[in-house]
Amino acid sequence: QVQLLESGGGLVQAGGSLRLSCTASGRMFRTYSMGWFRQAPGKEREFVAGIGWSADSTYYADSVKGRFTISRDNAKNTVYLQMNSLKPEDTAIYYCAADRGVVPTMNPGAYDYWGQGTQVTVSS
């Protein structure tokens, strides 16, 4: 079983940056694809970014492409989400998730393990 813990959320002004971290416990971390999702009040949970076990395949939602970067360090059992040029519409709780599949998917139902989430708030 994989346990995930997010950190790095906070309050920033529009145009600012944050880096989220997700640390995983579990010896099978290397075999998992990882994803970041977010959920705003009254909205469905949506895919933000994903990265494969090899770190060579990455995927982004159109809304964050060019602004966010996902990366992973398997030696540290950690996945990151660098968020630049933040907008008020990026405000949400951000979750990291682990998928036993080799290639990440944007479907939240495909992920096997979830973190508790970290709040990101972007002011106007």
Side-chain angles (χ1 to χ4, degrees):
Q1 181 172 306
V2 175
Q3 298 180 64
L4 306 174
L5 180 62
E6 303 97 334
S7 63
L11 173 64
V12 297
Q13 288 188 320
S17 298
L18 284 173
R19 188 183 72 161
L20 305 183
S21 299
C22 175
T23 300
S25 62
R27 65 184 186 89
M28 303 305 294
F29 175 77
R30 263 184 67 92
T31 68
Y32 284 75
S33 294
M34 301 294 296
W36 285 97
F37 292 78
R38 66 187 182 187
Q39 188 165 22
K43 302 291 185 179
E44 298 290 325
R45 186 168 298 188
E46 66 174 349
F47 172 81
V48 177
I51 187 167
W53 63 267
S54 70
D56 192 35
S57 57
T58 57
Y59 303 88
Y60 298 92
D62 288 342
S63 59
V64 306
K65 194 174 299 181
R67 298 189 297 121
F68 291 10
T69 303
I70 188 171
S71 61
R72 70 189 294 166
D73 186 341
N74 288 339
K76 297 181 178 180
N77 285 353
T78 301
V79 62
Y80 304 95
L81 184 68
Q82 178 66 47
M83 305 186 296
N84 298 325
S85 301
L86 283 162
K87 305 174 181 179
E89 51 262 45
D90 295 319
T91 295
I93 299 175
Y94 283 70
Y95 301 88
C96 69
D99 179 10
R100 283 178 284 186
V102 174
V103 178
T105 176
M106 63 179 62
N107 179 12
Y111 288 78
D112 302 293
Y113 303 101
W114 293 84
Q116 194 170 0
T118 185
Q119 177 71 48
V120 172
T121 302
V122 184
S123 63
S124 301

